[in-house]
Amino acid sequence: MPLKLRPAADTQFDVLTLGECMIRLSPPGHQRIELTPLFEAYAGGGEYNVSYALARYGMRTGWISRLVDNPLGQFIKNHARASGMDVSEVIWVPYDGSGRADRIGLNFTEVGTGVRASVTMYDRGHTAIAHMKPGEADWKRIFGARGARWFHTGGIFAALSDSCAEVTIEAMKAAHEAGTVVSYDLNFRSKLWPSKKAIEVTKKLVPYIDVLIGNEEDFQKVLGFDVEGTDENLSTLPVDAYKKMVKKVVAAYPNIKAVGTTLREVVSGLVNNWSAIMYFDGEFYESRRYEDLEIEDRVGGGDGFCSGFVYGLLHGMKPQECIEMGAAHGALLQSTRGDSSMVTMDEIRHVMGGGSARIKR
């Protein structure tokens, strides 16, 4: 069954997202956090990255969150506005001078190389967004009076606190009732919650999900669906086994109309095999397989896939084009530093069409 989208003329937003944005601090190159004299600063967050990318590609996007009104909050706002995304529904809270009441989350990320993996260390406790409570955002007004064609959130936001999990249900239910397509990125983070808790919360959310997105690990850790033929390290990813797993998911939850899954095999810190599969209307579609993809920074690759995938679905592209766009954007996003997209639509279409990396001049 095809997705039923609200007419653009009836809405103010093509895409609205809900989630956290942190400030990421990374040593230059492949240096270590404990020894670097310098840090590069980026803004990024799972749902934020999706709105940021789609705004760059000309879509009317908005991002909803809860931020502290201090220079770090303004850093995030300035970065968001540079893409053109709407931040008018962000909830701003005062800064108490020390961050005891609310603060902006930080993460410290090392970009790995060779046999050394990339590592992210969170400093995100007691953040403003983690304190968001049901009723704080007027979802009826947002999805009714303002209107959105698509709403996207995910497992990172839901994992931040029990109240965030409640807000997730509240927002998704309101979007669903307004006729807005709802997508959810499973995005399991073991440092935020255990698999048992993730499964417990996510089962309450699934009835409101139209489009489900995840990577090779998420479906196991967040929905409890095992994939035959994989080991703990996910060193090999049998595509047919993933297709069997997706069939089980849609059989259990027939309201899910599309599923997008990224597949990453790690060869080394800077070389991965990358691809994606899509389930839609009873059929599977596989993207081009990016063998030995050379990576500058893998963080945000899944968000790149998600935003490309959503772009295709919102623009009425054929399923094969949707999965190719998602995989191409994810591959390209990993060619730059930072979490958010720095690539152009021309570059995405070039790679989708099988174009090479030969110099352009």
Side-chain angles (χ1 to χ4, degrees), residues 36 65 107 207 357:
T36 184
S65 193
N107 78 72

Side-chain angles (χ1 to χ4, degrees), residues 284-314:
F284 282 97
Y285 303 86
E286 296 181 37
S287 78
R288 164 188 169 188
R289 181 174 164 86
Y290 295 83
E291 294 274 1
D292 296 328
L293 178 68
E294 295 178 38
I295 293 172
E296 175 65 24
D297 180 0
R298 65 169 283 170
V299 178
D303 303 327
F305 165 78
C306 180
S307 47
F309 185 59
V310 170
Y311 182 97
L313 289 168
L314 268 167

